[in-house]
Amino acid sequence: MRIARINTKSQSINDEPVDLGLLDKLIKKYKGKKGNVIPLLQGAQELYGYLPHEVFIKLASETGLSLSNLFGVATFYAQFRLKPVGKHIIKVCHGTACHVQNANVISEALEDALKIKDGETTEDRLFTLESVACLGCCSLAPVMMIGDGTYGKLTGNEAVKIVKNIRIKESN
């Protein structure tokens, strides 16, 4: 399942100012090097957690890469994010094994508990919910990952309980 990641709004989603000075070292490292588009985008995403619109403008103007090329690569690969994400990214597997084991129940339970839809981030930016094609843990189906943690053979209630426990830990 592919998530609609293209932002149709022309203005930044995030109201916080973007410190573009963070990009200077990255641009210096990759400017003029062949095959630099992906490393530039990966580095920028590592700095900001996603790729703000302003970053595309600066990368294009200071590296000579076209804005359309940068944006095209960022929207082609699923690894790049055009929106801010939560501190914890919940990836619910919807591969064949998980689908057969009713992964939809997990996604729906998490959507209800977090009051967000697939691909969205909670208002407090604690969680982002994503459906992914496969996590490679078919023997644990249905499965979800939160950060580096893998949770298998889940029910909707168990998935919600895991998320609630993380929320409790974060509030302490």
Side-chain angles (χ1 to χ4, degrees), residues 12-22 48 50 52 54-55 125:
S12 179
I13 298 167
N14 190 355
D15 294 334
E16 298 170 15
V18 177
D19 180 7
L20 294 175
L22 296 174
Y48 302 102
Y50 73 108
E54 299 87 343
V55 166
R125 289 201 185 156

Side-chain angles (χ1 to χ4, degrees), residues 15-113:
D15 294 334
E16 298 170 15
V18 177
D19 180 7
L20 294 175
L22 296 174
L23 289 172
D24 293 341
K25 189 175 176 183
L26 185 69
I27 291 169
K28 185 177 179 182
K29 182 177 180 180
Y30 291 108
K31 185 175 182 177
K33 292 190 177 176
K34 189 174 181 179
N36 61 359
V37 174
I38 290 177
L40 279 167
L41 293 172
Q42 288 172 327
Q45 183 166 279
E46 191 173 313
L47 290 170
Y48 302 102
Y50 73 108
L51 295 170
H53 180 76
E54 299 87 343
V55 166
F56 285 100
I57 303 295
K58 179 162 178 154
L59 289 178
S61 70
E62 294 195 15
T63 64
L65 296 166
S66 74
L67 189 57
S68 63
N69 185 25
L70 289 167
F71 195 72
V73 170
T75 56
F76 179 79
Y77 292 106
Q79 68 176 294
F80 296 115
R81 302 176 186 283
L82 302 180
K83 297 178 190 176
V85 292
K87 182 176 180 182
H88 301 281
I89 299 174
I90 304 167
K91 296 179 181 179
V92 180
C93 182
H94 284 265
T96 303
C98 290
H99 178 75
V100 169
Q101 295 293 324
N102 210 4
N104 284 338
V105 169
I106 294 169
S107 289
E108 290 168 2
L110 290 170
E111 287 176 347
D112 288 344

